[in-house]
Amino acid sequence: MSARPTTLTNALHDYLQAHGVRETPVMRRLREETANHEMAMMQISPEQGALMALLAELIGARRALEVGVFTGYSALAVAQAMGADGRLTALDISADYTATARRFWAEAGLAERIDLRLGDARESLAALRVEGLDGTYDFAFIDADKSGYDIYYEQCLALVRPGGLILIDNTFHMGQIAEPARWGENAPVVDALNRKIKNDERVTMVMLPIGDGLTICRKRG
């Protein structure tokens, strides 16, 4: 037993990926292609994708929302986990990045289950609410520009049903969050949201040392 996480050495991380997650061939090819992308650091880890898929399966999610798509790995993981009757709404601003996502979603047979909406996520989330979709999503994942994190969190709280989950990525902010001397303009935004969620009685929460920090919130009824 240990009161602190075991240091994730390169060797241990290789072992984790070899024995601790299940990736479909399509997921693996997408991850490997994205590893060569100039913005590869935006890619979630396979263990994070596996955790997201497991959580979606545990709550019986059938409607999911993603704020920030990049090349589509997380959406692929969650859409697969929800099954044939699951539907995922994916929001992103980049037609370039999401072209890769569309290609791999189609290869996996998931293109019809994922509704990709391009544009500013603030506007897309507001549009979903105007459509009357408050309380209809089971699961939401936020992994977009940090400047909008608080807005995305509040909008997702409205759109997710009681008992549903909201996952927020990069809550360690590249490991800088506990070292104010290293902060740039976005670190205070992430720190403020972390502190807000810690004291937010609307949710039950935990922050986990997975990837660049992953916070999981369950919306209370």
Side-chain angles (χ1 to χ4, degrees):
M1 298 293 291
S2 175
R4 297 174 63 85
T6 299
T7 300
L8 195 61
T9 62
N10 288 337
L12 185 54
H13 191 241
D14 289 344
Y15 184 92
L16 171 63
Q17 293 197 1
H19 303 286
V21 301
R22 296 174 180 171
E23 280 187 305
T24 65
V26 175
M27 294 176 72
R28 185 177 64 256
R29 287 196 298 274
L30 172 54
R31 178 169 58 83
E32 290 172 349
E33 180 174 318
T34 303
N36 296 316
H37 196 285
E38 63 180 356
M39 297 298 291
M41 77 289 292
M42 292 168 56
Q43 173 71 71
I44 68 166
S45 65
E47 60 269 23
Q48 183 171 327
L51 175 61
M52 292 170 59
L54 178 59
L55 291 172
E57 184 177 332
L58 282 171
I59 66 169
R62 290 296 176 268
R63 288 182 59 83
L65 173 62
E66 182 166 288
V67 185
V69 175
F70 190 37
T71 59
Y73 187 94
S74 51
L76 183 57
V78 172
Q80 287 178 158
M82 291 193 295
D85 57 342
R87 296 293 181 270
L88 187 146
T89 305
L91 311 180
D92 203 280
I93 200 166
S94 173
D96 182 30
Y97 294 167
T98 56
T100 300
R102 288 181 186 273
R103 176 161 49 87
F104 280 92
W105 295 342
E107 184 178 342
L110 297 172
E112 298 303 315
R113 302 185 204 171
I114 300 175
D115 175 19
L116 176 62
R117 302 190 180 197
L118 293 176
D120 187 301
R122 297 163 182 79
E123 297 175 4
S124 297
L125 288 164
L128 292 174
R129 300 196 62 193
V130 169
E131 292 172 28
L133 296 178
D134 279 4
T136 64
Y137 287 94
D138 304 298
F139 184 101
F141 179 49
I142 301 171
D143 185 15
D145 63 292
K146 306 305 173 272
S147 62
Y149 259 32
D150 188 78
I151 294 172
Y152 303 152
Y153 173 68
E154 289 295 334
Q155 296 286 57
C156 285
L157 265 177
L159 288 159
V160 167
R161 64 168 173 82
L165 299 179
I166 301 171
L167 278 63
I168 304 152
D169 199 22
N170 303 118
T171 49
F172 285 177
H173 195 58
M174 298 176 289
Q176 297 175 13
I177 203 67
E179 302 178 48
R182 299 174 58 202
W183 284 8
E185 63 178 329
N186 286 324
V189 177
V190 177
D191 179 64
L193 181 59
N194 289 342
R195 294 174 185 274
K196 174 179 176 174
I197 293 173
K198 169 69 182 298
N199 297 298
D200 193 344
E201 294 299 324
R202 296 173 295 176
V203 300
T204 304
M205 59 75 67
V206 64
M207 183 188 295
L208 298 176
I210 294 175
D212 186 34
L214 179 68
T215 296
I216 302 173
C217 304
R218 179 183 183 272
K219 181 178 175 178
R220 292 174 170 169

